[in-house]
Amino acid sequence: MGDKKYISALVTGGEANAGPPLGPALGPMGVNVLQVVNTINEKTKDFPGMKVPVKVEVDTETKKFTIEVGIPPTAALVAKEAGIAKGSGTAGKDFAGDLTMSSAAKIARMKMEGSYAKDVKGATKEVIGSCVSMGVKVEGKPAKEAYADVNSGKHDELFK
């Protein structure tokens, strides 16, 4: 059984290349760097423009590799779903965008694995929390009001 080596890196979805951080780290391991990069891009193409955590595991004997793709940070997913480049920078005063409750639930489902929430409703509240600090409205309302709507059970059909 060969030695396993790991590289963790943040790459832009669908845009990894043979330059740093991947190329110089992978080169000495004797794997086909382009193959690794192409595989990463294939696996991250659904996250264009977002920073995506990836972990590459290389068996130094067989030169076989596996790639694990993480989920981008909640803020990046919110920005993508709301169709904005980033949060407002002056949250509470200015709003950068608006997220639908179904988009919030969709992000919550993606993030469930790394979340401490016990259900989709709880995870959605975490997503709405990110919207507060990003200056993103939810369902056209300030995120704090949307949070209250979730607590009151208004959107429960989305969380099943």
Side-chain angles (χ1 to χ4, degrees):
M1 186 87 179
D3 270 343
K4 301 258 191 238
K5 292 212 168 143
Y6 302 91
I7 297 169
S8 293
L10 263 181
V11 301
T12 301
E15 293 176 37
N17 60 50
L22 294 169
L26 291 166
M29 294 186 194
V31 292
N32 181 326
V33 177
L34 275 178
Q35 244 180 354
V36 174
V37 168
N38 290 341
T39 307
I40 289 172
N41 286 336
E42 182 55 38
K43 289 185 168 208
T44 61
K45 70 176 189 290
D46 292 340
F47 302 119
M50 286 193 242
K51 293 288 183 203
V52 186
V54 294
K55 186 168 144 189
V56 183
E57 179 189 307
V58 176
D59 183 318
T60 50
E61 209 172 282
T62 65
K63 310 299 181 209
K64 290 209 183 324
F65 63 89
T66 55
I67 292 163
E68 262 178 63
V69 175
I71 303 281
T74 301
L77 295 168
V78 167
K80 177 181 184 231
E81 288 290 323
I84 56 175
K86 58 183 183 15
S88 78
T90 49
K93 230 169 55 186
D94 303 303
F95 291 99
D98 194 348
L99 191 69
T100 63
M101 194 58 78
S102 62
S103 287
K106 176 179 155 190
I107 295 168
R109 284 187 178 87
M110 291 167 88
K111 297 296 286 187
M112 271 307 282
E113 209 174 290
S115 164
Y116 293 109
K118 62 183 189 300
D119 55 21
V120 174
K121 184 172 180 173
T124 302
K125 291 198 281 191
E126 291 177 357
V127 172
I128 294 171
S130 293
C131 292
V132 172
S133 57
M134 290 174 71
V136 171
K137 289 183 177 181
V138 181
E139 292 287 326
K141 301 176 174 181
K144 287 187 172 104
E145 285 177 34
Y147 192 94
D149 286 347
V150 170
N151 277 342
S152 72
K154 186 174 173 190
H155 299 284
D156 281 358
E157 72 283 353
L158 287 170
F159 309 130
K160 290 188 170 72

